[in-house]
């Protein structure tokens, strides 16, 4: 099965501020090229110790609410053992325990099976690293 697995790396510039970056269209474009109407699984993985992947509604304030909740749970202050970079950077290294660095999603007939308001998003609170890679892998 040589076409059973395909992978692609996205290069995402998340900027110098905390962001939730919607990757849904990138995922759909990747599947159009690789899934060819097949059923399977899409894995989205960010190989960074300070970022995560979330399935969340965007555009209606939920993305800002997520960042606000993370600020409450993981304040950017000097309480963290891990200390280098911008103030509170240690909390960025705790983020992947709450927002995992991966998501695996069903694909049916080559189409990503998200709910009506769901989007695939990169969650990046690390202001010190504005350039991210996100690996998309289709198994089908």
């Amino acid at each position: 099965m040589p076409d059973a697995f395909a992978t692609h790396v996205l290069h995402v510039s998340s900027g110098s501020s905390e962001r939730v970056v919607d990757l849904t269209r990138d995922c759909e474009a990747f599947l159009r090229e690789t899934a060819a109407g097949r059923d399977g699984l899409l894995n989205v993985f960010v190989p960074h110790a300070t970022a995560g992947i979330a399935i969340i509604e965007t555009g209606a304030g939920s993305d800002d609410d997520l960042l606000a909740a993370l600020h409450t749970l993981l304040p950017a202050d000097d309480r963290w053992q891990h200390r280098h970079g911008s103030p509170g950077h240690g909390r960025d290294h705790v983020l992947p325990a709450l927002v995992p660095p991966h998501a695996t999603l069903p694909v049916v007939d080559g189409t990503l099976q998200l709910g009506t308001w769901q989007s695939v998003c990169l969650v990046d609170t690390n202001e010190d690293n504005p350039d991210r890679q996100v690996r998309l892998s289709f198994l089908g």
Side-chain angles (χ1 to χ4, degrees):
M1 279 190 178
D3 294 332
F5 181 79
T7 190
H8 174 71
V9 175
L10 300 174
H11 297 276
V12 179
S13 177
S14 57
S16 59
S17 62
E18 298 178 356
R19 289 202 42 213
V20 175
V21 180
D22 191 339
L23 303 173
T24 308
R25 288 185 181 177
D26 296 299
C27 293
E28 291 169 341
F30 171 70
L31 290 171
R32 275 193 300 278
E33 293 177 20
T34 60
R38 293 177 290 158
D39 296 348
L41 296 172
L42 173 68
N43 182 264
V44 183
F45 175 72
V46 57
H48 298 282
T50 59
I53 300 295
I55 308 302
I56 188 171
E57 178 181 7
T58 58
S62 296
D63 35 356
D64 291 332
D65 290 341
L66 173 59
L67 292 175
L70 290 171
H71 259 281
T72 300
L73 292 170
L74 304 171
D77 58 24
D78 64 355
R79 73 182 69 198
W80 307 100
Q81 301 279 328
H82 184 102
R83 295 174 193 225
H84 69 82
S86 60
H89 175 65
R91 64 108 179 211
D92 298 327
H93 286 274
V94 178
L95 172 78
L98 300 176
V99 181
H102 60 87
T104 301
L105 305 162
V107 176
V108 177
D109 293 328
T111 303
L112 191 56
Q113 298 298 294
L114 291 172
T116 302
W117 303 112
Q118 290 181 317
S119 296
V120 181
C121 297
L122 169 68
V123 179
D124 189 356
T125 60
N126 183 356
E127 298 173 359
D128 296 334
N129 189 356
D131 299 310
R132 299 300 191 161
Q133 294 181 5
V134 179
R135 180 170 295 279
L136 307 178
S137 300
F138 175 71
L139 178 62

